[in-house]
């Protein structure tokens, strides 16, 4: 699949109120193209609740419910059950794709209970976390997804804790499909949405979403920052299906030795939220600790790849 092969129909319409360079609106566009018109959307409190534009107009060209922070999994459970009933009664010919669109605040922190419950029941829906690594719509407060050492308005010297890994928490639920995606690899993202659409049960896709005002970089650099995240190993691309993980796109190329893992400071220096690691003096300890963790993961994966030769998948969890 190439960009020019994406469906022409636009279901994310003109006139959204998103910031210039917003990763959320770009990701929605790709997701809607992959999932198509027979989709029912639940937007969980996030930037998307705001930038879809004020009632009665909307840039979201799908039937949409706007829901509270904690309700992603519960909303999906109700929508999915209702759609099953309508199909059984012959009111609907085909069940629509139930899509929950949430930020990291509504996923990592406030909504994880309902998400976990829905995943444990293997509710039939796709859950998307567009992860801008902070509460951006309320002015950039830390979330459980904010990375170590990053500035937010309430971690002014850099966050002291390491982020949770909710994609791996979802893998541990044993659901049929988990994937991570990046704006810098749109065809990889499109393919993952198209694959998720084919599967029944709970599917989880997490998209790293570099946010220009929150991460403090020029709005024309969104894709560049997203690409650097993958090239430096700060964000990994993979999909997990039937108990196996396959690394994809830029991450796969690094593991297979076709591209080099770039030094993490290239990613850190591209964003003002890490400026305190370099000014007024270089913080060798924290930069070194971040690099050590990334290098350890990639050295392990590259070693495993060499050992397995042609086998690119590593078993992480039992099949559902
Ligand atoms: S704050 Fe960030 S995620 Fe929110 S609308 Fe603006 S660019 Fe998009």
């Amino acid at each position: 699949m190439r960009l020019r092969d994406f469906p022409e129909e636009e279901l994310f319409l003109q006139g959204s109120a998103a910031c210039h360079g917003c990763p959320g609106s770009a990701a929605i566009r790709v997701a809607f193209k992959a999932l198509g018109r027979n989709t029912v959307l639940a937007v969980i409190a996030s930037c998307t609740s705001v930038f879809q534009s004020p009632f009665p107009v909307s840039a979201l060209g799908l039937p949409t419910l706007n829901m509270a922070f904690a309700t992603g999994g519960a909303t999906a459970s109700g929508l999915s059950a209702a759609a099953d009933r309508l199909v059984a009664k012959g009111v609907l010919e085909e069940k629509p794709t139930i899509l929950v669109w949430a930020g990291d605040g509504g996923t990592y922190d406030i909504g994880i209970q309902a998400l976990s419950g829905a995943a444990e029941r293997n509710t039939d829906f796709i859950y998307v976390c567009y992860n801008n690594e902070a509460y951006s719509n309320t002015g950039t407060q830390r979330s459980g997804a904010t990375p170590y050492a990053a500035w937010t308005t309430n971690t002014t010297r850099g966050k002291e804790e390491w982020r949770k890994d909710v994609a791996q928490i979802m893998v541990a639920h044993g659901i049929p499909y988990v994937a991570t995606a990046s704006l810098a690899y749109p065809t990889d993202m499109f393919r993952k949405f198209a694959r998720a659409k084919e599967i029944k049960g709970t599917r989880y896709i997490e998209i790293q979403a570099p946010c220009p005002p929150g991460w403090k970089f020029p709005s024309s650099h969104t894709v560049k920052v997203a690409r650097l995240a993958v090239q430096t190993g700060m964000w990994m691309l993979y999909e997990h299906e039937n108990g196996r993980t396959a690394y994809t796109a830029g991450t796969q190329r690094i593991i297979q030795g076709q591209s080099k893992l770039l030094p993490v400071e290239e990613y850190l220096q591209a964003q003002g939220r890490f400026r305190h690691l370099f000014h007024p003096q270089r913080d060798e300890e924290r930069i070194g600790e971040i690099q050590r963790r990334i290098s350890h993961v990639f050295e392990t994966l590259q070693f495993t790849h060499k050992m397995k030769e042609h086998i690119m998948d590593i078993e992480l969890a039992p099949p559902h």
Side-chain angles (χ1 to χ4, degrees):
M1 166 70 75
R2 297 162 300 178
L3 278 178
R4 73 172 82 132
D5 299 324
F6 282 16
E8 281 185 16
E9 187 180 30
E10 294 289 354
L11 294 169
F12 183 64
L13 310 173
Q14 293 179 353
S16 90
C19 312
H20 287 177
C22 174
S25 54
I28 279 182
R29 204 170 157 214
V30 175
F32 284 8
K33 280 179 180 285
L35 297 178
R37 194 169 272 284
N38 193 24
T39 303
V40 174
L41 173 67
V43 174
I44 306 308
S46 60
C47 283
T48 308
S49 316
V50 180
F51 73 57
Q52 62 186 261
S53 296
F55 182 82
V57 294
S58 174
L60 303 173
L62 292 172
T64 303
L65 283 86
N66 281 293
M67 304 301 291
F69 257 124
T71 64
T75 303
S77 301
L79 283 174
S80 187
D84 282 338
R85 189 88 186 112
L86 291 173
V87 171
K89 288 171 82 175
V91 177
L92 293 178
E93 273 180 31
E94 190 189 347
K95 184 176 181 181
T97 301
I98 308 299
L99 174 66
V100 170
W101 191 271
D104 48 297
T107 304
Y108 277 63
D109 301 336
I110 305 171
I112 195 166
Q113 177 192 13
L115 170 60
S116 176
E120 187 269 331
R121 295 188 297 274
N122 198 23
T123 301
D124 184 25
F125 77 117
I126 298 175
Y127 188 104
V128 174
C129 172
Y130 76 100
N131 179 1
N132 55 24
E133 302 181 352
Y135 288 81
S136 297
N137 64 324
T138 51
T140 320
Q141 293 81 30
R142 85 189 277 292
S143 78
T146 303
Y148 173 71
W151 169 93
T152 65
T153 53
N154 49 6
T155 57
T156 51
R157 293 180 185 178
K159 191 182 172 197
E160 292 178 8
E161 301 81 20
W162 297 84
R163 78 170 182 93
K164 278 190 263 188
D165 189 341
V166 170
Q168 284 301 304
I169 292 173
M170 298 315 291
V171 167
H173 279 71
I175 60 175
Y177 188 75
V178 176
T180 57
S182 163
L183 287 173
Y185 301 85
T187 53
D188 180 69
M189 188 193 300
F190 183 98
R191 188 186 58 74
K192 286 167 176 169
F193 273 100
R195 178 67 192 130
K197 186 182 174 184
E198 291 171 351
I199 298 169
K200 218 172 149 42
T202 304
R203 294 140 282 164
Y204 178 87
I205 297 178
E206 184 163 335
I207 305 164
Q208 196 208 28
C211 165
W215 297 18
K216 299 183 183 298
F217 61 79
S219 58
S220 57
H221 289 190
T222 304
V223 173
K224 177 184 165 189
V225 172
R227 186 175 297 112
L228 275 171
V230 174
Q231 290 173 328
T232 59
M234 278 291 281
W235 186 252
M236 297 182 71
L237 296 173
Y238 63 86
E239 57 193 337
H240 184 89
E241 191 176 350
N242 297 323
R244 290 169 178 267
T245 296
Y247 294 92
T248 66
T251 302
Q252 183 191 47
R253 287 195 280 279
I254 296 169
I255 294 170
Q256 292 180 341
Q258 292 155 357
S259 336
K260 281 207 158 160
L261 182 67
L262 296 182
V264 75
E265 63 181 88
E266 290 193 28
Y267 174 72
L268 302 176
Q269 284 189 312
Q271 305 161 62
R273 66 176 175 158
F274 293 110
R275 190 172 186 278
H276 53 278
L277 296 182
F278 300 94
H279 302 280
Q281 63 204 31
R282 208 180 144 83
D283 187 336
E284 293 294 356
E285 196 179 323
R286 283 195 283 181
I287 298 168
E289 183 55 26
I290 297 168
Q291 185 64 69
R292 268 192 294 283
R293 286 188 177 223
I294 293 172
S295 298
H296 175 71
V297 169
F298 275 86
E299 281 161 16
T300 306
L301 290 170
Q302 284 164 339
F303 176 78
T304 309
H305 173 69
K306 276 187 194 148
M307 290 295 103
K308 290 192 168 183
E309 295 231 333
H310 304 296
I311 302 171
M312 270 307 304
D313 44 14
I314 297 162
E315 297 199 7
L316 291 178
H320 194 262

